[in-house]
Amino acid sequence: MMIPSKKVQRCLLAVLFTTLATGAHSAAAHELRLAMQSDITGLDPHDTTDNLSYSVQSAVYERLFQFDRQMKLVPALATGYRANDNATEFVIDLRDNVRFSDGAPFNAAAAKTNLDRLADQGMGLKRNNMFSMIDHTEIINEHRIKIVLKQPFGAMINTLAHPSAVMISPQALKKYSNENDLRVHPVGTGPFIFTGWASGRSVSFVKNPNYWEKGWPRVDKVTFYPTPESATRVARLRAGEVDAVMPLDAQLTKAIGRDTHLKVVHDASVLQHYIVINNLKPALKDVRVRRALNYAMDRNIWLRAVHGNMGTVASAPMANAIPFYQAQAPYAHDPHKARELLKEAGYPDGLSLNMWIANDTSSILASQLIKQQLAAAGVRLQVVPMDSATRTGMIYNVSDPNAARYDLVLRGWSPSTGDADWALRPLFTTGAWVPKLDNESYYSNPQVDDAIQGALGSADADKRGAQYARAQQLIWKDAPVIFLGNPDNLTALSRNLDGVYMLPDTTFAFNHAHFVSDNVQQ
Amino acid sequence: MLSYALRRLLGIIPVLIVVSLLVFAFVKLMPGDPARIYAGPDASLEAVDAARHQLGLDQPLTIQYLQWVGNFLTGDLGIAYRNRQPVADAIGESFFPTLWLSLAAFAWSSVAGIAIGVFAARRRGRWQDYTAMSIAVCGISMPSFWLGLLLIQYVAVPFGLFATSGYAKPLDIVLPAITLGSTVAAVMARYTRSAYLEATHEDYVRTARAKGLTNRMVVWKHTFRNALIPVLTMLGLQFGFLLSGSIVIESVFSWPGLGWLLIESIKTQDQPVIQALVMLFVTMFLVINLVVDLLYGFIDPSARRD
């Protein structure tokens, strides 16, 4: 530990000298370096689907609305909005005095260009589908725009807060009209300006000197290093090569905890872990069997063993950070009750099921625990690990739902619009059966469908809340999946770094990153 | 010699054709739907179909194969699904990091492996032999990713001389090269030892001794030179493995080479990249084998005759 502490002393001296040399109040030059688990796929958020790329893109690009650390909706490039009663028209006020880093003004025309690009289903961008409800947009004045929808859509503002709904400079859109050029030349209003992307090596940005939010950013450069191996990510942090790693494996938190120069930051997540139950399998059609599986699981042990006891266990079909969440009566761990329910359903000797999982460390760890717990209730589990591309293919390329070969699938779902609609509709409505959306359970309850659809038809929070409360209650009772919970998102940082954290949707934020030199202790 | 080289070179073509069919078939047989992965996790059915059409995956397989081969011959390797980069550029960027790493690993491991092998053979049955061979067995048995993680943990992190991963300065190649070369060094040591011992029992060695040559001449000119022939074949094979087989090491050290590219591409079922990479690996093996065969001619004059 001698060497790192000397290093810190040297840094402090360097900071001191620069401060003395350049005057008392000017900050020292700082570079923020982050290690992340893979490379980005591109730099056009309209044509991106992975959270890691969205996170890196947020250096350059901003949205009209965004989420704060608690997944609350906050205005960003917008300042406010008004909706009509049946949620078909949204008038949005835009922030004044904002410019793109190429000098183009951010105004209603720029917003219109971007929203039209997202809504244009002929563009062939990966995120067009998400904005297909937009009929057209109108410029009301320089700083006000109106979005008119084809049908009521109460979750519109949340959809505008999705990390793909960013504002790209209209000049850049014109200059790089070919998507292959735009995806490597991002120009936005964000706190940083893109400088380069060396595939597999690094993505780098410098400070945007004309950023609209006064006093930010407080680092001069940001560089991201793809580092696939999680132990190597932590080694990089310990060696001082990077200032932050994301994400951090729960298994590696101990290694961080021993190092006095580092800290672990954990934040609540909306990523819901659960086990799909194939509701079309003869045995699993019976709600008693599905409830038995839920009673068989000890969620607290799962959270402790697999996720370092950081997070919350499931108390509803969606995370408690999602608006309209309503706690349900818990499925307390009760293997005896599970056996009774199975007996009642006609399985006195228990039953044998298969479970498909991803072949990563935490899924394998979780599956061992699940197998053990279900065994205590008389369920013999055969675990089938496969790589994610294979698994996705085998689940989604099934034309006849009855031909699906899985009984259970261990997986997670992160509603990236932070809204109850996207937390429930893709997983639990009849219209969302795979391959249409992500209802891999083939669960169908017309009352649930009605409630979720009904909630979309209004922009009124009370009306929407009542519908979602009903939907959650019904889903919880029907137990179409084994509910698990929401483990925290983990990051590890240098002790003197603040303002870098993971948002509940598993993207990460660094726009308010700053080094607190005074806090460095020996 | 020249006609021999030419004949061998032409012989590569049918092999490549068969391999291209196999590679194509294997990639298409992979379970999973690249169109869905391309379109994204919550894409609609229409979006997936649009992606399938855009990628040409809705065409009959024979047409897809012929198009791929046709484009391949004109130097067009296609566009990567993952990041829309031309495949040729992606491979070009990743090739040199892998080549430097392989050369560095190859250089130290072949010299060390052969030296240890000869040393052990000349002290056969003594404690030096047992020690060297025990170390070699450890080298073969130790999972290289584990050695890599140990080096990162106990060399890179505390001393700061070498980077834990990536490469910013020339010294950063040292740890991954040690990791990558350890197995090869061990294999070469064991192989050289047995090849050398075999050669010592040959008649010409006995004759050389009988005609009163110095021990040094017997060891280096007669025994070692003849032992070198099988060793060279092994070296060629090992180099092929180094070039294509550093997948695990590249992941551990975040080395942006071909192994890393292959892993990223398999994760996203990036068919054009997988196909091009496997073809590249096969071609490299064929070329290395050819070079090794031609090198025989220099060491063993009797090989030049046919």
Side-chain angles (χ1 to χ4, degrees), chain A residues 41 47 126-127 179 200-201 227 232 235-236 238 241 390 397 435, chain B residues 31 33 36 38 42 83-84 93 152-153 163-165 252 254 260:
Chain A
T41 56
D47 193 45
K126 289 181 188 168
R127 278 305 178 189
E179 179 59 26
R201 274 161 244 194
T227 310
T232 312
R236 278 192 122 156
R238 294 182 54 205
E241 292 169 16
T390 306
N397 286 4
Chain B
D33 182 1
R36 170 157 282 281
Y38 182 82
D42 29 61
N83 57 8
R84 295 207 188 172
E93 278 172 18
I152 290 175
Q153 209 63 259
T164 56
S165 63
V252 169
S254 314
W260 166 82

PDB file of all heavy atoms in Angstrom, chain A residues 41 47 126-127 179 200-201 227 232 235-236 238 241 390 397 435, chain B residues 31 33 36 38 42 83-84 93 152-153 163-165 252 254 260:
ATOM      1  N   THR A  41     -21.408   0.202 -29.657  1.00  0.00           N
ATOM      2  CA  THR A  41     -21.769  -0.293 -30.980  1.00  0.00           C
ATOM      3  C   THR A  41     -21.908   0.846 -31.986  1.00  0.00           C
ATOM      4  O   THR A  41     -22.033   0.601 -33.178  1.00  0.00           O
ATOM      5  CB  THR A  41     -23.094  -1.068 -30.935  1.00  0.00           C
ATOM      6  OG1 THR A  41     -24.089  -0.195 -30.373  1.00  0.00           O
ATOM      7  CG2 THR A  41     -22.984  -2.296 -30.074  1.00  0.00           C
ATOM      8  N   ASP A  47     -30.196   4.925 -33.375  1.00  0.00           N
ATOM      9  CA  ASP A  47     -29.954   3.631 -34.005  1.00  0.00           C
ATOM     10  C   ASP A  47     -29.172   2.720 -33.051  1.00  0.00           C
ATOM     11  O   ASP A  47     -28.304   1.963 -33.469  1.00  0.00           O
ATOM     12  CB  ASP A  47     -29.181   3.830 -35.318  1.00  0.00           C
ATOM     13  CG  ASP A  47     -29.182   2.570 -36.170  1.00  0.00           C
ATOM     14  OD1 ASP A  47     -30.252   1.958 -36.294  1.00  0.00           O
ATOM     15  OD2 ASP A  47     -28.124   2.207 -36.706  1.00  0.00           O
ATOM     16  N   LYS A 126     -32.908   1.632 -35.593  1.00  0.00           N
ATOM     17  CA  LYS A 126     -33.327   0.597 -34.655  1.00  0.00           C
ATOM     18  C   LYS A 126     -34.373   1.092 -33.659  1.00  0.00           C
ATOM     19  O   LYS A 126     -35.062   0.298 -33.039  1.00  0.00           O
ATOM     20  CB  LYS A 126     -32.118   0.062 -33.906  1.00  0.00           C
ATOM     21  CG  LYS A 126     -31.210  -0.773 -34.803  1.00  0.00           C
ATOM     22  CD  LYS A 126     -30.036  -1.316 -34.043  1.00  0.00           C
ATOM     23  CE  LYS A 126     -29.050  -1.965 -35.013  1.00  0.00           C
ATOM     24  NZ  LYS A 126     -27.777  -2.256 -34.377  1.00  0.00           N
ATOM     25  N   ARG A 127     -34.478   2.393 -33.450  1.00  0.00           N
ATOM     26  CA  ARG A 127     -35.423   2.883 -32.464  1.00  0.00           C
ATOM     27  C   ARG A 127     -36.688   3.497 -33.059  1.00  0.00           C
ATOM     28  O   ARG A 127     -37.544   3.979 -32.323  1.00  0.00           O
ATOM     29  CB  ARG A 127     -34.745   3.887 -31.528  1.00  0.00           C
ATOM     30  CG  ARG A 127     -33.963   3.208 -30.424  1.00  0.00           C
ATOM     31  CD  ARG A 127     -34.852   2.255 -29.662  1.00  0.00           C
ATOM     32  NE  ARG A 127     -34.132   1.539 -28.621  1.00  0.00           N
ATOM     33  CZ  ARG A 127     -34.636   0.531 -27.933  1.00  0.00           C
ATOM     34  NH1 ARG A 127     -35.858   0.110 -28.175  1.00  0.00           N
ATOM     35  NH2 ARG A 127     -33.925  -0.071 -27.012  1.00  0.00           N
ATOM     36  N   GLU A 179     -25.973   7.201 -42.616  1.00  0.00           N
ATOM     37  CA  GLU A 179     -25.961   6.706 -41.232  1.00  0.00           C
ATOM     38  C   GLU A 179     -24.568   6.222 -40.797  1.00  0.00           C
ATOM     39  O   GLU A 179     -24.160   6.406 -39.653  1.00  0.00           O
ATOM     40  CB  GLU A 179     -26.998   5.583 -41.093  1.00  0.00           C
ATOM     41  CG  GLU A 179     -27.102   4.938 -39.723  1.00  0.00           C
ATOM     42  CD  GLU A 179     -27.454   5.926 -38.609  1.00  0.00           C
ATOM     43  OE1 GLU A 179     -28.085   6.956 -38.891  1.00  0.00           O
ATOM     44  OE2 GLU A 179     -27.058   5.656 -37.448  1.00  0.00           O
ATOM     45  N   GLY A 200     -12.471  -1.127 -29.867  1.00  0.00           N
ATOM     46  CA  GLY A 200     -11.879  -2.076 -28.925  1.00  0.00           C
ATOM     47  C   GLY A 200     -10.886  -1.456 -27.973  1.00  0.00           C
ATOM     48  O   GLY A 200     -10.399  -2.114 -27.067  1.00  0.00           O
ATOM     49  N   ARG A 201     -10.518  -0.202 -28.174  1.00  0.00           N
ATOM     50  CA  ARG A 201      -9.493   0.421 -27.343  1.00  0.00           C
ATOM     51  C   ARG A 201     -10.064   1.517 -26.451  1.00  0.00           C
ATOM     52  O   ARG A 201      -9.971   1.453 -25.246  1.00  0.00           O
ATOM     53  CB  ARG A 201      -8.398   1.021 -28.224  1.00  0.00           C
ATOM     54  CG  ARG A 201      -7.351   0.000 -28.579  1.00  0.00           C
ATOM     55  CD  ARG A 201      -6.550   0.415 -29.758  1.00  0.00           C
ATOM     56  NE  ARG A 201      -6.796  -0.534 -30.821  1.00  0.00           N
ATOM     57  CZ  ARG A 201      -6.047  -0.623 -31.904  1.00  0.00           C
ATOM     58  NH1 ARG A 201      -5.040   0.195 -32.083  1.00  0.00           N
ATOM     59  NH2 ARG A 201      -6.311  -1.524 -32.810  1.00  0.00           N
ATOM     60  N   THR A 227     -13.164  -3.080 -21.271  1.00  0.00           N
ATOM     61  CA  THR A 227     -12.357  -4.062 -20.541  1.00  0.00           C
ATOM     62  C   THR A 227     -13.266  -5.224 -20.195  1.00  0.00           C
ATOM     63  O   THR A 227     -13.954  -5.208 -19.172  1.00  0.00           O
ATOM     64  CB  THR A 227     -11.801  -3.423 -19.246  1.00  0.00           C
ATOM     65  OG1 THR A 227     -11.196  -2.168 -19.581  1.00  0.00           O
ATOM     66  CG2 THR A 227     -10.778  -4.304 -18.574  1.00  0.00           C
ATOM     67  N   THR A 232     -10.175  -7.912 -14.432  1.00  0.00           N
ATOM     68  CA  THR A 232      -9.215  -6.963 -15.015  1.00  0.00           C
ATOM     69  C   THR A 232      -9.689  -5.529 -14.815  1.00  0.00           C
ATOM     70  O   THR A 232      -8.895  -4.628 -14.555  1.00  0.00           O
ATOM     71  CB  THR A 232      -9.023  -7.245 -16.514  1.00  0.00           C
ATOM     72  OG1 THR A 232      -8.801  -8.631 -16.699  1.00  0.00           O
ATOM     73  CG2 THR A 232      -7.841  -6.473 -17.062  1.00  0.00           C
ATOM     74  N   ALA A 235      -8.695  -4.639 -11.457  1.00  0.00           N
ATOM     75  CA  ALA A 235      -7.237  -4.482 -11.393  1.00  0.00           C
ATOM     76  C   ALA A 235      -6.822  -3.128 -11.965  1.00  0.00           C
ATOM     77  O   ALA A 235      -5.935  -2.450 -11.434  1.00  0.00           O
ATOM     78  CB  ALA A 235      -6.560  -5.614 -12.164  1.00  0.00           C
ATOM     79  N   ARG A 236      -7.469  -2.713 -13.039  1.00  0.00           N
ATOM     80  CA  ARG A 236      -7.158  -1.411 -13.648  1.00  0.00           C
ATOM     81  C   ARG A 236      -7.419  -0.284 -12.660  1.00  0.00           C
ATOM     82  O   ARG A 236      -6.654   0.668 -12.562  1.00  0.00           O
ATOM     83  CB  ARG A 236      -8.052  -1.178 -14.875  1.00  0.00           C
ATOM     84  CG  ARG A 236      -7.563  -1.853 -16.113  1.00  0.00           C
ATOM     85  CD  ARG A 236      -8.327  -1.347 -17.315  1.00  0.00           C
ATOM     86  NE  ARG A 236      -7.370  -0.785 -18.244  1.00  0.00           N
ATOM     87  CZ  ARG A 236      -7.587  -0.661 -19.550  1.00  0.00           C
ATOM     88  NH1 ARG A 236      -8.735  -0.996 -20.067  1.00  0.00           N
ATOM     89  NH2 ARG A 236      -6.663  -0.160 -20.333  1.00  0.00           N
ATOM     90  N   ARG A 238      -7.497  -0.566  -9.355  1.00  0.00           N
ATOM     91  CA  ARG A 238      -6.551  -0.630  -8.245  1.00  0.00           C
ATOM     92  C   ARG A 238      -5.175  -0.136  -8.650  1.00  0.00           C
ATOM     93  O   ARG A 238      -4.440   0.423  -7.842  1.00  0.00           O
ATOM     94  CB  ARG A 238      -6.475  -2.066  -7.713  1.00  0.00           C
ATOM     95  CG  ARG A 238      -7.784  -2.500  -7.070  1.00  0.00           C
ATOM     96  CD  ARG A 238      -7.710  -3.885  -6.491  1.00  0.00           C
ATOM     97  NE  ARG A 238      -6.582  -4.004  -5.572  1.00  0.00           N
ATOM     98  CZ  ARG A 238      -5.982  -5.148  -5.294  1.00  0.00           C
ATOM     99  NH1 ARG A 238      -6.384  -6.254  -5.878  1.00  0.00           N
ATOM    100  NH2 ARG A 238      -4.993  -5.181  -4.445  1.00  0.00           N
ATOM    101  N   GLU A 241      -5.087   3.040 -13.213  1.00  0.00           N
ATOM    102  CA  GLU A 241      -5.173   3.315 -14.647  1.00  0.00           C
ATOM    103  C   GLU A 241      -6.514   3.922 -15.032  1.00  0.00           C
ATOM    104  O   GLU A 241      -6.625   4.580 -16.063  1.00  0.00           O
ATOM    105  CB  GLU A 241      -4.964   2.024 -15.448  1.00  0.00           C
ATOM    106  CG  GLU A 241      -3.557   1.486 -15.357  1.00  0.00           C
ATOM    107  CD  GLU A 241      -3.450   0.090 -15.936  1.00  0.00           C
ATOM    108  OE1 GLU A 241      -4.365  -0.331 -16.664  1.00  0.00           O
ATOM    109  OE2 GLU A 241      -2.465  -0.573 -15.645  1.00  0.00           O
ATOM    110  N   THR A 390     -27.823 -17.542 -28.670  1.00  0.00           N
ATOM    111  CA  THR A 390     -28.503 -18.814 -28.899  1.00  0.00           C
ATOM    112  C   THR A 390     -29.852 -18.823 -28.188  1.00  0.00           C
ATOM    113  O   THR A 390     -30.875 -19.206 -28.741  1.00  0.00           O
ATOM    114  CB  THR A 390     -27.647 -19.975 -28.358  1.00  0.00           C
ATOM    115  OG1 THR A 390     -26.355 -19.874 -28.932  1.00  0.00           O
ATOM    116  CG2 THR A 390     -28.255 -21.308 -28.686  1.00  0.00           C
ATOM    117  N   ASN A 397     -37.574 -17.584 -32.087  1.00  0.00           N
ATOM    118  CA  ASN A 397     -37.867 -18.159 -33.404  1.00  0.00           C
ATOM    119  C   ASN A 397     -38.793 -19.356 -33.313  1.00  0.00           C
ATOM    120  O   ASN A 397     -38.547 -20.393 -33.899  1.00  0.00           O
ATOM    121  CB  ASN A 397     -36.568 -18.550 -34.107  1.00  0.00           C
ATOM    122  CG  ASN A 397     -35.846 -17.324 -34.595  1.00  0.00           C
ATOM    123  OD1 ASN A 397     -36.287 -16.206 -34.334  1.00  0.00           O
ATOM    124  ND2 ASN A 397     -34.762 -17.520 -35.296  1.00  0.00           N
ATOM    125  N   PRO A 435     -42.927 -14.007 -30.522  1.00  0.00           N
ATOM    126  CA  PRO A 435     -41.842 -13.041 -30.705  1.00  0.00           C
ATOM    127  C   PRO A 435     -42.280 -11.588 -30.813  1.00  0.00           C
ATOM    128  O   PRO A 435     -41.446 -10.742 -31.098  1.00  0.00           O
ATOM    129  CB  PRO A 435     -41.237 -13.511 -32.030  1.00  0.00           C
ATOM    130  CG  PRO A 435     -42.387 -14.046 -32.797  1.00  0.00           C
ATOM    131  CD  PRO A 435     -43.318 -14.646 -31.794  1.00  0.00           C
TER     132      PRO A 435
ATOM    133  N   PRO B  31     -27.642 -21.772 -33.697  1.00  0.00           N
ATOM    134  CA  PRO B  31     -28.990 -21.394 -33.306  1.00  0.00           C
ATOM    135  C   PRO B  31     -29.015 -19.895 -33.021  1.00  0.00           C
ATOM    136  O   PRO B  31     -27.991 -19.314 -32.676  1.00  0.00           O
ATOM    137  CB  PRO B  31     -29.239 -22.207 -32.038  1.00  0.00           C
ATOM    138  CG  PRO B  31     -27.902 -22.624 -31.554  1.00  0.00           C
ATOM    139  CD  PRO B  31     -26.947 -22.572 -32.693  1.00  0.00           C
ATOM    140  N   ASP B  33     -31.028 -15.917 -34.116  1.00  0.00           N
ATOM    141  CA  ASP B  33     -31.500 -15.164 -35.264  1.00  0.00           C
ATOM    142  C   ASP B  33     -30.753 -13.836 -35.317  1.00  0.00           C
ATOM    143  O   ASP B  33     -31.038 -12.924 -34.547  1.00  0.00           O
ATOM    144  CB  ASP B  33     -33.003 -14.925 -35.105  1.00  0.00           C
ATOM    145  CG  ASP B  33     -33.577 -14.170 -36.300  1.00  0.00           C
ATOM    146  OD1 ASP B  33     -32.793 -13.865 -37.233  1.00  0.00           O
ATOM    147  OD2 ASP B  33     -34.783 -13.898 -36.297  1.00  0.00           O
ATOM    148  N   ARG B  36     -32.815 -10.627 -35.419  1.00  0.00           N
ATOM    149  CA  ARG B  36     -33.415 -10.145 -34.180  1.00  0.00           C
ATOM    150  C   ARG B  36     -32.370  -9.427 -33.321  1.00  0.00           C
ATOM    151  O   ARG B  36     -32.639  -8.392 -32.728  1.00  0.00           O
ATOM    152  CB  ARG B  36     -34.035 -11.306 -33.398  1.00  0.00           C
ATOM    153  CG  ARG B  36     -34.470 -10.917 -31.996  1.00  0.00           C
ATOM    154  CD  ARG B  36     -35.524 -11.827 -31.440  1.00  0.00           C
ATOM    155  NE  ARG B  36     -36.843 -11.543 -31.976  1.00  0.00           N
ATOM    156  CZ  ARG B  36     -37.608 -10.537 -31.548  1.00  0.00           C
ATOM    157  NH1 ARG B  36     -37.193  -9.708 -30.618  1.00  0.00           N
ATOM    158  NH2 ARG B  36     -38.803 -10.341 -32.067  1.00  0.00           N
ATOM    159  N   TYR B  38     -29.772  -7.947 -34.432  1.00  0.00           N
ATOM    160  CA  TYR B  38     -29.473  -6.689 -35.118  1.00  0.00           C
ATOM    161  C   TYR B  38     -30.546  -5.649 -34.804  1.00  0.00           C
ATOM    162  O   TYR B  38     -30.259  -4.490 -34.538  1.00  0.00           O
ATOM    163  CB  TYR B  38     -29.405  -6.946 -36.619  1.00  0.00           C
ATOM    164  CG  TYR B  38     -29.065  -5.741 -37.452  1.00  0.00           C
ATOM    165  CD1 TYR B  38     -27.739  -5.342 -37.597  1.00  0.00           C
ATOM    166  CD2 TYR B  38     -30.056  -5.003 -38.095  1.00  0.00           C
ATOM    167  CE1 TYR B  38     -27.409  -4.245 -38.351  1.00  0.00           C
ATOM    168  CE2 TYR B  38     -29.727  -3.901 -38.857  1.00  0.00           C
ATOM    169  CZ  TYR B  38     -28.409  -3.518 -38.991  1.00  0.00           C
ATOM    170  OH  TYR B  38     -28.087  -2.426 -39.732  1.00  0.00           O
ATOM    171  N   ASP B  42     -36.041  -5.058 -27.923  1.00  0.00           N
ATOM    172  CA  ASP B  42     -37.501  -4.940 -27.938  1.00  0.00           C
ATOM    173  C   ASP B  42     -38.021  -4.420 -29.277  1.00  0.00           C
ATOM    174  O   ASP B  42     -38.921  -3.601 -29.325  1.00  0.00           O
ATOM    175  CB  ASP B  42     -38.029  -4.130 -26.747  1.00  0.00           C
ATOM    176  CG  ASP B  42     -37.030  -3.113 -26.265  1.00  0.00           C
ATOM    177  OD1 ASP B  42     -36.666  -2.230 -27.063  1.00  0.00           O
ATOM    178  OD2 ASP B  42     -36.590  -3.206 -25.121  1.00  0.00           O
ATOM    179  N   ASN B  83     -21.454  -3.000 -35.434  1.00  0.00           N
ATOM    180  CA  ASN B  83     -21.223  -1.554 -35.434  1.00  0.00           C
ATOM    181  C   ASN B  83     -21.179  -0.950 -36.840  1.00  0.00           C
ATOM    182  O   ASN B  83     -20.721   0.175 -37.018  1.00  0.00           O
ATOM    183  CB  ASN B  83     -19.939  -1.219 -34.674  1.00  0.00           C
ATOM    184  CG  ASN B  83     -18.742  -1.939 -35.261  1.00  0.00           C
ATOM    185  OD1 ASN B  83     -18.856  -2.556 -36.317  1.00  0.00           O
ATOM    186  ND2 ASN B  83     -17.616  -1.848 -34.608  1.00  0.00           N
ATOM    187  N   ARG B  84     -21.625  -1.723 -37.838  1.00  0.00           N
ATOM    188  CA  ARG B  84     -21.703  -1.244 -39.225  1.00  0.00           C
ATOM    189  C   ARG B  84     -20.358  -0.823 -39.800  1.00  0.00           C
ATOM    190  O   ARG B  84     -20.289  -0.003 -40.708  1.00  0.00           O
ATOM    191  CB  ARG B  84     -22.683  -0.071 -39.343  1.00  0.00           C
ATOM    192  CG  ARG B  84     -24.094  -0.485 -39.041  1.00  0.00           C
ATOM    193  CD  ARG B  84     -25.060   0.399 -39.766  1.00  0.00           C
ATOM    194  NE  ARG B  84     -26.406   0.114 -39.324  1.00  0.00           N
ATOM    195  CZ  ARG B  84     -27.448   0.833 -39.670  1.00  0.00           C
ATOM    196  NH1 ARG B  84     -27.296   1.885 -40.454  1.00  0.00           N
ATOM    197  NH2 ARG B  84     -28.642   0.529 -39.250  1.00  0.00           N
ATOM    198  N   GLU B  93      -7.773  -3.525 -38.280  1.00  0.00           N
ATOM    199  CA  GLU B  93      -7.415  -2.865 -37.020  1.00  0.00           C
ATOM    200  C   GLU B  93      -6.997  -3.873 -35.960  1.00  0.00           C
ATOM    201  O   GLU B  93      -6.160  -3.586 -35.117  1.00  0.00           O
ATOM    202  CB  GLU B  93      -8.624  -2.083 -36.482  1.00  0.00           C
ATOM    203  CG  GLU B  93      -8.802  -0.731 -37.121  1.00  0.00           C
ATOM    204  CD  GLU B  93     -10.111  -0.083 -36.696  1.00  0.00           C
ATOM    205  OE1 GLU B  93     -10.701  -0.509 -35.685  1.00  0.00           O
ATOM    206  OE2 GLU B  93     -10.552   0.842 -37.406  1.00  0.00           O
ATOM    207  N   ILE B 152      -1.509 -10.010 -13.448  1.00  0.00           N
ATOM    208  CA  ILE B 152      -2.131  -8.694 -13.292  1.00  0.00           C
ATOM    209  C   ILE B 152      -2.165  -8.314 -11.810  1.00  0.00           C
ATOM    210  O   ILE B 152      -1.771  -7.223 -11.414  1.00  0.00           O
ATOM    211  CB  ILE B 152      -3.570  -8.704 -13.867  1.00  0.00           C
ATOM    212  CG1 ILE B 152      -3.519  -8.816 -15.386  1.00  0.00           C
ATOM    213  CG2 ILE B 152      -4.328  -7.461 -13.441  1.00  0.00           C
ATOM    214  CD1 ILE B 152      -4.880  -8.953 -16.033  1.00  0.00           C
ATOM    215  N   GLN B 153      -2.613  -9.289 -10.999  1.00  0.00           N
ATOM    216  CA  GLN B 153      -2.819  -9.024  -9.582  1.00  0.00           C
ATOM    217  C   GLN B 153      -1.511  -8.761  -8.838  1.00  0.00           C
ATOM    218  O   GLN B 153      -1.426  -7.854  -8.026  1.00  0.00           O
ATOM    219  CB  GLN B 153      -3.516 -10.257  -8.977  1.00  0.00           C
ATOM    220  CG  GLN B 153      -4.381  -9.961  -7.798  1.00  0.00           C
ATOM    221  CD  GLN B 153      -5.526  -9.051  -8.174  1.00  0.00           C
ATOM    222  OE1 GLN B 153      -5.488  -7.861  -7.920  1.00  0.00           O
ATOM    223  NE2 GLN B 153      -6.548  -9.591  -8.814  1.00  0.00           N
ATOM    224  N   ALA B 163       1.165  -2.126 -17.716  1.00  0.00           N
ATOM    225  CA  ALA B 163      -0.266  -1.843 -17.575  1.00  0.00           C
ATOM    226  C   ALA B 163      -0.998  -3.142 -17.283  1.00  0.00           C
ATOM    227  O   ALA B 163      -0.560  -4.211 -17.694  1.00  0.00           O
ATOM    228  CB  ALA B 163      -0.795  -1.219 -18.857  1.00  0.00           C
ATOM    229  N   THR B 164      -2.118  -3.046 -16.552  1.00  0.00           N
ATOM    230  CA  THR B 164      -2.900  -4.246 -16.274  1.00  0.00           C
ATOM    231  C   THR B 164      -3.584  -4.748 -17.539  1.00  0.00           C
ATOM    232  O   THR B 164      -3.873  -5.919 -17.657  1.00  0.00           O
ATOM    233  CB  THR B 164      -3.987  -3.956 -15.238  1.00  0.00           C
ATOM    234  OG1 THR B 164      -4.766  -2.873 -15.738  1.00  0.00           O
ATOM    235  CG2 THR B 164      -3.396  -3.576 -13.905  1.00  0.00           C
ATOM    236  N   SER B 165      -3.842  -3.842 -18.471  1.00  0.00           N
ATOM    237  CA  SER B 165      -4.491  -4.282 -19.699  1.00  0.00           C
ATOM    238  C   SER B 165      -4.419  -3.183 -20.742  1.00  0.00           C
ATOM    239  O   SER B 165      -4.055  -2.050 -20.449  1.00  0.00           O
ATOM    240  CB  SER B 165      -5.944  -4.644 -19.438  1.00  0.00           C
ATOM    241  OG  SER B 165      -6.634  -3.501 -19.003  1.00  0.00           O
ATOM    242  N   VAL B 252      -8.663 -11.318 -21.155  1.00  0.00           N
ATOM    243  CA  VAL B 252      -8.136 -11.015 -19.829  1.00  0.00           C
ATOM    244  C   VAL B 252      -7.372  -9.693 -19.843  1.00  0.00           C
ATOM    245  O   VAL B 252      -7.509  -8.872 -18.939  1.00  0.00           O
ATOM    246  CB  VAL B 252      -7.231 -12.168 -19.330  1.00  0.00           C
ATOM    247  CG1 VAL B 252      -6.462 -11.751 -18.087  1.00  0.00           C
ATOM    248  CG2 VAL B 252      -8.060 -13.400 -19.037  1.00  0.00           C
ATOM    249  N   SER B 254      -7.673  -7.241 -22.115  1.00  0.00           N
ATOM    250  CA  SER B 254      -8.353  -6.245 -22.965  1.00  0.00           C
ATOM    251  C   SER B 254      -7.487  -5.874 -24.168  1.00  0.00           C
ATOM    252  O   SER B 254      -7.291  -4.706 -24.458  1.00  0.00           O
ATOM    253  CB  SER B 254      -8.666  -4.966 -22.195  1.00  0.00           C
ATOM    254  OG  SER B 254      -9.211  -5.262 -20.964  1.00  0.00           O
ATOM    255  N   TRP B 260     -10.316 -11.026 -29.476  1.00  0.00           N
ATOM    256  CA  TRP B 260     -11.328 -10.141 -28.898  1.00  0.00           C
ATOM    257  C   TRP B 260     -12.450  -9.898 -29.913  1.00  0.00           C
ATOM    258  O   TRP B 260     -13.640  -9.962 -29.590  1.00  0.00           O
ATOM    259  CB  TRP B 260     -10.667  -8.810 -28.508  1.00  0.00           C
ATOM    260  CG  TRP B 260     -11.640  -7.730 -28.216  1.00  0.00           C
ATOM    261  CD1 TRP B 260     -12.305  -7.521 -27.042  1.00  0.00           C
ATOM    262  CD2 TRP B 260     -12.093  -6.729 -29.127  1.00  0.00           C
ATOM    263  NE1 TRP B 260     -13.146  -6.449 -27.165  1.00  0.00           N
ATOM    264  CE2 TRP B 260     -13.034  -5.945 -28.426  1.00  0.00           C
ATOM    265  CE3 TRP B 260     -11.809  -6.419 -30.461  1.00  0.00           C
ATOM    266  CZ2 TRP B 260     -13.682  -4.865 -29.026  1.00  0.00           C
ATOM    267  CZ3 TRP B 260     -12.451  -5.346 -31.050  1.00  0.00           C
ATOM    268  CH2 TRP B 260     -13.367  -4.579 -30.332  1.00  0.00           C
TER     269      TRP B 260
END
